[in-house]
Amino acid sequence: MEHPQKILIVDDDREISSLLAEYLEKNGYRAVTAGDGKAMQKALQDHRIDLIVLDLNLPGEDGLTLCRNLRSHSAIPVIMLTARGEPVDRILGLEMGADDYVPKPFEPRELFARIRSVLRRTQALPPNMQASETQQIKFAGWTMDVTARHLVNPSGVVVALSGAEYRLLKIFLDHANRVLSRDHLLNLTQGRDADPFDRSIDLQISRLRQKLGDDARSPQIIKTVRNEGYVLATQVAKE
């Protein structure tokens, strides 16, 4: 029998945390709450967390710092809560490695739908692979280990990826040398259409280029195709 998935809610507003935890419990999830970064770290040590709902504004270390630190060693999906819903908050959250964002105030049903969507995208990828399927993908001297969900650079050093970065790179590798529009990439990675001011894909590609050491001014791996989108412009070998 499968255990319910466990959601960690990190918010110093106890009323919001309690209401959200109750809503999640009623809908088949387990909920753990934390009011700050220290409590978040303890919860991560004590529980196997499947997703984190992380408030931007916290006492002590803020949500952006906590998300950035988490991304240095973990790919647990993160949904960022932003108090105002301003574009700058969303941009900063995505730059730090958040998988999605929800502005406050929010409807529990909306956040619940986002949680399900992020978990579904995460579960749709390895490690639940059959033995006959691809285990490694090699490109431009790099190797993606699709079982461990990390990159190995040409020198043999492991480079950790966030869940969003992993999904985006996997899509590029599965569609190598094909131009993919921003709308297409957003729909494949986040299950939604872009609005005219949505820069989330551009930000994630920027982060991915940094990890690949791909010069943004003259990229050789993920190239920008003016007025069309992006293309992974290299040969890909699957093993």
Side-chain angles (χ1 to χ4, degrees), residues 52-211:
I52 301 172
V53 177
L54 179 60
D55 189 29
L56 177 67
N57 296 307
L58 292 168
E61 290 184 303
D62 63 20
L64 295 175
T65 302
L66 293 171
C67 186
R68 182 185 61 209
N69 293 341
L70 180 74
R71 280 292 167 260
S72 68
H73 63 273
S74 173
I76 296 174
V78 173
I79 295 179
M80 187 76 75
L81 298 179
T82 62
R84 298 173 301 279
E86 293 179 356
V88 65
D89 293 335
R90 300 198 298 268
I91 290 168
L92 288 171
L94 292 166
E95 285 180 339
M96 294 301 104
D99 293 84
D100 205 347
Y101 54 84
V102 175
K104 286 183 173 180
F106 58 84
E107 286 288 337
R109 285 183 298 177
E110 179 191 359
L111 181 54
F112 178 69
R114 295 289 186 94
I115 289 171
R116 291 185 62 187
S117 178
V118 170
L119 288 172
R120 186 165 56 246
R121 293 196 305 265
T122 303
Q123 293 159 1
L125 298 171
N128 294 324
M129 299 178 64
Q130 297 179 5
S132 60
E133 294 185 3
T134 299
Q135 300 297 312
Q136 292 187 336
I137 305 175
K138 297 182 182 295
F139 66 100
W142 291 77
T143 300
M144 173 186 266
D145 187 320
V146 294
T147 302
R149 289 191 177 204
H150 61 223
L151 275 175
V152 180
N153 72 14
S155 300
V157 178
V158 172
V159 177
L161 295 174
S162 71
E165 292 163 351
Y166 176 90
R167 288 190 296 274
L168 183 59
L169 181 55
K170 183 68 164 54
I171 287 166
F172 274 122
L173 292 171
D174 287 340
H175 302 84
N177 298 297
R178 288 176 53 188
V179 178
L180 300 173
S181 70
R182 288 175 176 81
D183 284 346
H184 194 190
L185 288 168
L186 189 64
N187 191 267
L188 287 172
T189 57
Q190 299 185 31
R192 60 185 174 88
D193 296 326
D195 64 52
F197 303 103
D198 196 323
R199 292 187 55 213
S200 58
I201 285 297
D202 305 279
L203 291 167
Q204 289 174 13
I205 287 173
S206 176
R207 285 175 55 85
L208 204 49
R209 281 173 171 163
Q210 289 177 10
K211 293 200 172 180

